[in-house]
Amino acid sequence: MKDNNLALISAEDLSLVDDNSLNANQLAQILKRTPKAYVKKRPAKGGGTWEYVTSGYVKKVLNLMFGWDWDFEILEDKVMHDEVIVKGRLTCRSNGRTIVKTQYGNKDIMYKRGTDAQGNRIPLSIGNDFKSASSDCLKKCASEIGIAQDIYNKEDFKEVKVKDWISDIVKAESLEELDMIWSAMSAKEQSKFQDPINEKQKSLK
């Protein structure tokens, strides 16, 4: 029996990263569950259904996470055995760093009914098939960052609430509340946020 509570990354894990490329708000975006309104379903090959998100949703999350400071480009494309295959690269810039993810996307070619004079099947629109393969590639690249991991990596996903300690420290209205925040932190986090805690203590005395 599979353990559905297995988490690839936990809040404790995050506290061990001293200089993360993503801030707390960005991490919250990728470690939460995809809103149900954006989860779609379609028939799966061999029966059943697949869950997926649209490329529009992925672009929206990328825009929110990186402030529109990201690029996606197709590196290679080809048609093979009634299938369009593309290789793409997603580049995101965050907190003075560049995050690059490369993946493949694919799309089965759609054909018109009947054949041409030579008996060959006629594609409905190869252009649309390439666009669909490119959208699939973008989603797969974005999933490498962590977007929609609950959809594309169900077995290992567990929602993680990212704690914004700085925000909590700033909002603390008493020394007792500040003590509660301190107690909730891991030893690593206490070391990291010692200075903001001390400053806040001075302002509350």
Side-chain angles (χ1 to χ4, degrees), residues 5-196:
N5 291 319
L6 175 67
L8 288 182
I9 187 168
S10 67
E12 180 67 19
D13 293 330
L14 294 174
S15 71
L16 301 177
V17 182
D18 292 322
D19 192 13
N20 206 309
S21 297
L22 303 178
N23 60 38
N25 290 331
Q26 291 170 315
L27 287 169
Q29 283 285 341
I30 62 175
L31 295 176
K32 70 178 183 180
R33 291 192 178 278
T34 304
K36 291 183 178 180
Y38 295 102
V39 179
K40 310 296 182 182
K41 292 185 178 182
R42 65 183 175 209
K45 294 180 180 179
T49 59
W50 279 334
E51 288 187 335
Y52 70 100
V53 294
T54 66
S55 59
Y57 169 75
V58 170
K59 291 174 183 177
K60 174 183 177 180
V61 176
L62 288 170
N63 285 337
L64 291 173
M65 284 183 62
F66 301 107
W68 284 263
D69 195 6
W70 61 274
D71 303 300
F72 177 69
E73 58 183 317
I74 298 299
L75 304 176
E76 301 175 16
D77 59 67
K78 59 184 175 182
V79 176
M80 180 181 293
H81 306 302
D82 298 325
E83 183 180 38
V84 170
I85 302 172
V86 301
K87 179 181 180 181
R89 178 169 59 208
L90 173 64
T91 302
C92 304
R93 287 161 287 276
S94 173
N95 302 317
R97 297 183 178 180
T98 301
I99 301 170
V100 180
K101 298 297 179 182
T102 303
Q103 258 292 358
Y104 290 88
N106 69 301
K107 172 65 169 64
D108 289 338
I109 296 174
M110 300 293 290
Y111 291 96
K112 297 178 181 180
R113 291 183 179 180
T115 60
D116 61 17
Q118 287 73 41
N120 299 312
R121 290 187 297 173
I122 306 170
L124 188 63
S125 174
I126 284 290
N128 284 338
D129 293 330
F130 271 107
K131 285 188 288 186
S132 294
S134 298
S135 295
D136 182 55
C137 184
L138 170 62
K139 290 188 286 184
K140 288 178 178 176
C141 286
S143 73
E144 294 287 324
I145 296 175
I147 296 174
Q149 276 290 292
D150 58 320
I151 303 300
Y152 297 115
N153 192 17
K154 288 180 180 292
E155 294 296 326
D156 295 323
F157 178 82
K158 181 181 179 181
E159 186 170 24
V160 176
K161 300 294 185 182
V162 179
K163 196 67 176 173
D164 185 354
W165 292 118
I166 291 295
S167 177
D168 288 351
I169 292 169
V170 170
K171 292 177 181 178
E173 298 180 350
S174 67
L175 290 174
E176 290 76 14
E177 188 176 346
L178 200 60
D179 285 340
M180 291 178 62
I181 294 171
W182 177 260
S183 298
M185 290 181 178
S186 66
K188 183 74 174 182
E189 290 170 330
Q190 288 177 346
S191 176
K192 183 176 181 179
F193 295 101
Q194 180 70 64
D195 289 343

